Amino acid sequence: DLDELEAPDERLAIELNGRDPDDVFSQVPYEKGALLLIELERNVGRENFDQFLRGYFDHFAFQSISTDEFIAYLDETLLKEYGDKLDRERILEWIHQPGIPEGVPVPESNAFAVVDAQRESWLSGETSANDIVTTEWTTQEWLHFINNLPEKISAEKILGLDEDLGLTATGNNEIARSWLRVAIRNNYQPAFARLENYLASIGRTRLIEPLYKELAKTDEGMQFAQRVYEQARDGYHPITQKKIDLILNPLE
């Protein structure tokens, strides 16, 4: 979502010292960073950029680097070899300034439109869940499908969807989070054993906080959440504990 990149403090290089990582997490490093790489690739050519990437991974294997180290590496590689095709000041603008530069390359794809069409065909009853073609879906396509489902789905349709697509059993934690939110909203009990295991075994705030919030919307859900949280709380990071405590206010 390019709109998210317009937030005033959303830069690729941000100050993290003393800040809660979950508070500064966003899609900006992924989306804006991807656009920067696309621009570099288009300017120097795919083959040349592939060589740069191979050298980058070899040079920095098994280590993390800082923004300054990344810029220094660009100076010695792409900017040195293709100074006539790249603008160092523009690259620094990508990294240090909010938003996105003018003339950003805009990727084009009909992938989500295909997903939308299959979802709507299933919702309307024209096709069954078994007709949905998911064999080549990426995580993003799965999330787009699930996150755009209606708030309420009939018991028959949600059961068929789960049985045909194996959503409750998915091993992808991002997909599971989105699906379990759907299960909570629809009180889909066949998924609640997985929900309990998920909350007990995963401690990352961004994966479990939305589920606790969803559960807290109903009395039955709150009771379930408090029971699971009482068992799982000691395994969570203190920052996560603080956030879930505010949602559930256990034992008050």
Side-chain angles (χ1 to χ4, degrees), residues 59-187:
H59 188 80
F60 295 111
F62 307 110
Q63 61 180 299
S64 299
I65 64 172
S66 67
T67 300
D68 288 341
E69 289 172 317
F70 175 70
I71 294 172
Y73 187 73
L74 284 181
D75 284 334
E76 292 300 314
T77 53
L78 285 182
L79 285 166
K80 185 175 182 179
E81 294 179 60
Y82 308 105
D84 58 328
K85 299 179 179 179
L86 298 173
D87 182 344
R88 189 177 192 274
E89 291 305 312
R90 180 173 172 86
I91 293 174
L92 294 181
E93 180 183 355
W94 272 102
I95 294 171
H96 294 295
Q97 298 301 315
I100 53 178
E102 292 291 332
V104 59
V106 179
E108 296 181 2
S109 172
N110 69 341
F112 284 169
V114 174
V115 173
D116 290 336
Q118 293 198 81
R119 185 196 319 102
E120 294 310 311
S121 180
W122 169 71
L123 286 170
S124 68
E126 295 179 15
T127 58
S128 69
N130 194 48
D131 295 321
I132 300 173
V133 181
T134 66
T135 50
E136 296 185 1
W137 276 8
T138 64
T139 296
Q140 287 71 30
E141 287 165 300
W142 278 105
L143 293 177
H144 185 76
F145 179 88
I146 298 169
N147 291 339
N148 288 283
L149 288 170
E151 286 281 320
K152 296 298 181 180
I153 306 172
S154 72
E156 179 182 3
K157 290 191 79 68
I158 196 171
L159 177 61
L161 190 66
D162 190 18
E163 288 181 342
D164 288 334
L165 301 189
L167 290 164
T168 297
T170 179
N172 184 308
N173 288 333
E174 293 277 355
I175 295 172
R177 177 192 59 180
S178 289
W179 172 246
L180 291 172
R181 289 183 73 185
V182 172
I184 295 167
R185 289 170 183 162
N186 291 275
N187 195 28

Side-chain angles (χ1 to χ4, degrees), residues 36-47 49-50 53 78 86:
L36 169 57
L37 296 181
I38 289 172
E39 180 170 292
L40 294 176
E41 178 189 75
R42 289 183 178 180
N43 286 340
V44 304
R46 176 62 181 268
E47 183 176 345
F49 191 70
D50 283 350
L53 287 180
L78 285 182
L86 298 173

